[in-house]
Amino acid sequence: MSTDSPSPATPRPFQAEVSRLLHLMVHSVYTEKDVFLRELISNASDACDKLRYEAIARPELIGKDARLAIRIETDKEAGRLVIADNGIGMSEAELAENLGTIARSGTRAFLERLGKEGENSALIGQFGVGFYSAFMVADQIQVVSRKAGEDTAWLWASDGANGFTIEQAGESDAAKVARGTRITLHLKEDSRTFLDDYEIERIVKTYSDHILFPIELIGADGATRQLNSASALWQRSKSEVKQEDYTELYRSLSGQLDQPALTVHYKAEGRQSYAALLFVPTQRPFDLFDVERKGRVKLYVKRVFITEDAALLPGYLRFVRGVIDSEDVPLNISREMLQNNPAVAQIRRAVTAKVIGELETLADKEPEKFTPLWETFGQVLKEGIYEDFERRDQLLKLARFRSTAGDGWRSLGQYVADMREGQTEIYYLVGESLDRLRSSPQLEAAAERGVEVLLLADPVDAFWTTAMPKFEGKAMKSLSQGDVDLSAIPLKDAATPKTDPPKDVGDLISSLKAALGDEVDDVKVSQRLVSSPACLVATAHGPDRTLERLLQRQQRGINAKPVLEINPGHPLIAAIDRARLATDLIVVDDLAHLLLDQARIVEGELPSDPARFTERLNRYLVAGLKDQSTEGTPA
Ligand code: ADP
Ligand code: MG
């Protein structure tokens, strides 16, 4: 360790995102200032967790100073509040990195949302911009830190506006920090209430009671008092835990301000002994679809925090937050090896089964609670239908769908119970919006037979359906892919006159095919149309049309060509057939393209060549109007 007087600190700038964040925060878009204390305590607790974990392999890091704790000191006269821990500490480089940048991706997107009024409170916690929140209450912050196992203590200082400095800590500062981090806040005039013992106690009790390390307050009288209970909530039995305790832990784990929609708390004994406390949020976390932030269930081993990244639940349960505390996972296992550890694998299976089981119970017993949960997280749960073959049946049973049977949600169980006589398959239609699906021509024949069709409008629906799942032995069949035969199902209204059996349209189909060339895979007579002249479907072996569109947007499409299906009973088709016989090829070519483009438009696509489309359409409009005016005027 150098004993020379340290060189004067050069000021360093904050990363641009940090400056912007600090600006937003100091100009108080965020009103619940007392969360700063929760954030600093949570960092101190993380630091103690990290030290305890590192010390499994290197016990000398903890040495004699084995009682890990968080201490809060106040100096009312000077207006200073101190939060100190004897955890892992930070080196000079770590101070610059951790307290000068925001490492996480998505920062920019987050800041944009933060700029918008109203969403702020919920978001700050979720994004975990923790440390910087201290500048809401302080106009000067000093951080003295000594990393475990290192000799030098460093002093980081900032006013939150003009960057920060880092220099070697002076002797008196360094003496106060044998290991860990000591943060001194110079409170703004309007934030001096945070020096009040009762106020500090209230905040700690509200937000940080579950912290596993003792949080001590050095009171005005100099006596030390522990403010939190510092016991692992999940180790207590259910009957001892109050709803508020669950909520507080849930909020601190999730960073959200809502109530848990479902709490799963149990202890397992046997091959694997562990305690689990898991929560399903009520509100959707803002990063639910951010692939980088997958499972967030914390793994503890005998009360020692190990990692958040052990993938203790599959991706399709990534909205679950919580803690699993194992008695059997070896403590000294490296985080990298956890993935392959058989004890972890067993726990993962058991916990997954438990969570799904609890969702099933909720769906059965309290459907009024399950429905909103499904509305919030169903899209994610459906990923499991193709990812988790073993639980496919369970997840299909849990799933709720929109359908042509009404506006509510339907389960596959209900669907099958209400199937029409002669019906052997479960029909669905995938698309991009519910409204458009409801008016799809592909539904016509099913509607005529009173056959219910599931309407799948979530992006994930295009994917899981490719797994071609079955439910109770019934295949699921897309109405926009391959051939469909509903003829075994009687018409809903037996009195409906059967349309004339279509006369032979073989020649018409050949000329349409010739006109459209390789724009279509095939032209066929449709079994699914009643009132529309034509529609597009995917080939039996290709991707469904919605999937193809989604893939194309990611430049991963395979340019699958559609099948054009025509309805020979429709007057337009009959007219085209007459025109084909009476006139030249150009007319057939025009009409074939108009038909194809129409079918595209109904699906929400553009005609392949909008200018040509308009030009053709107008030509026939003018001709049609001319006919009318000649009909109307006596010659
Ligand atoms: P987060 O806790 O979400 O990572 P913060 O802004 O709260 O974000 O903290 C940034 C980083 O600074 C932490 O990840 C940690 O590495 C470091 N840090 C903050 N406080 C402490 C502390 N008391 N001891 C050790 N490291 C700390
Ligand atoms: Mg933090």
Side-chain angles (χ1 to χ4, degrees), residues 340-356:
N340 309 321
N341 181 267
V344 174
Q346 278 173 21
I347 293 176
R348 184 184 300 134
R349 283 179 59 88
V351 175
T352 304
K354 179 74 178 179
V355 171
I356 294 179

Side-chain angles (χ1 to χ4, degrees), residues 375-442:
E375 284 171 352
T376 313
F377 298 115
Q379 286 195 52
V380 180
L381 279 162
K382 282 189 282 189
E383 293 173 12
I385 299 174
Y386 68 93
E387 276 174 13
D388 193 343
F389 179 74
E390 223 177 298
R391 287 180 225 286
R392 179 172 295 168
D393 291 347
Q394 263 180 303
L395 291 168
L396 280 172
K397 199 165 160 211
L398 207 52
R400 296 292 183 268
F401 302 97
R402 300 297 189 185
S403 91
T404 53
D407 289 331
W409 291 96
R410 299 275 286 169
S411 69
L412 288 179
Q414 289 168 317
Y415 181 102
V416 169
D418 292 349
M419 271 177 24
R420 300 259 2 244
E421 63 167 300
Q423 183 181 352
T424 55
E425 295 174 311
I426 297 170
Y427 296 104
Y428 67 87
L429 195 57
V430 183
E432 288 174 76
S433 90
L434 203 55
D435 285 343
R436 196 171 293 151
L437 280 174
R438 285 195 190 281
S439 55
S440 290
Q442 284 91 342

